């Protein structure tokens, strides 16, 4: 499977600088919940250090880890698409440092700069395509191990 695209290096230096002007540094402790599926997606992060687990809740309280994110990875994309609710949950697997971006500020910046909006949207779409592949593989593997029956 190809390596995941990284958001910041994929942007032009000018677009990266404009986006980074909105960044603030944050941290999350190990085992700290970052967001839960269904919550309001009003921000996103680029991980600087540490590891984050993306998970999906299945029957009851059971969770399936569908992706592990690390330095350079984008965390959160639901802010970009209405209704702006998280599709997955995220938890810090280790202490995490990240750049945090307020979604409303980024959308306003994009409204003023259509070239930045196009570049950001295309890059995030490529990241999502890769995540969809890895999530699908993780769910198929989980089902094959725990769900019984045949996998098609």
């Amino acid at each position: 499977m190809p390596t995941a695209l990284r958001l910041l290096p994929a942007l032009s230096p000018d677009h990266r600088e404009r986006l980074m002007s909105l960044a603030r540094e944050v941290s999350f402790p190990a085992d700290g919940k970052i967001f839960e599926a269904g919550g309001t997606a009003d921000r996103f992060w680029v991980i600087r250090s540490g590891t984050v687990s993306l998970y999906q809740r299945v029957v009851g309280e059971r969770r399936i880890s569908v992706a592990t994110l690390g330095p350079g990875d984008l965390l959160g994309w639901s802010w970009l698409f209405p209704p702006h609710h998280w599709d997955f949950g995220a938890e810090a697997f280790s202490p995490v440092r990240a750049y945090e971006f307020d979604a409303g500020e980024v959308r306003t910046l994009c409204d003023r700069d259509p070239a930045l909006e196009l570049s950001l949207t295309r890059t995030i779409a490529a990241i999502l395509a890769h995540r969809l592949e890895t999530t699908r593989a993780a769910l198929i593997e989980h089902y094959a191990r725990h769900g019984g029956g045949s996998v098609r």
Side-chain angles (χ1 to χ4, degrees), residues 62-108:
R62 194 162 166 215
R63 298 184 332 184
I64 298 173
S65 178
V66 294
T68 301
L69 307 178
D73 285 332
L74 170 69
L75 172 59
W77 53 266
S78 298
W79 63 274
L80 191 56
F81 307 104
H84 307 294
H85 293 124
W86 299 118
D87 290 314
F88 297 96
E91 184 174 80
F93 199 67
S94 65
V96 171
R97 291 183 346 181
Y99 293 119
E100 182 178 82
F101 299 88
D102 178 277
E105 290 178 1
V106 173
R107 286 192 296 265
T108 298

Side-chain angles (χ1 to χ4, degrees), residues 1-6 126-127 129-131 133-134:
M1 189 170 299
T3 304
L5 184 64
R6 305 286 190 244
I127 291 168
H130 183 266
R131 296 259 177 92
E133 255 184 74
T134 59

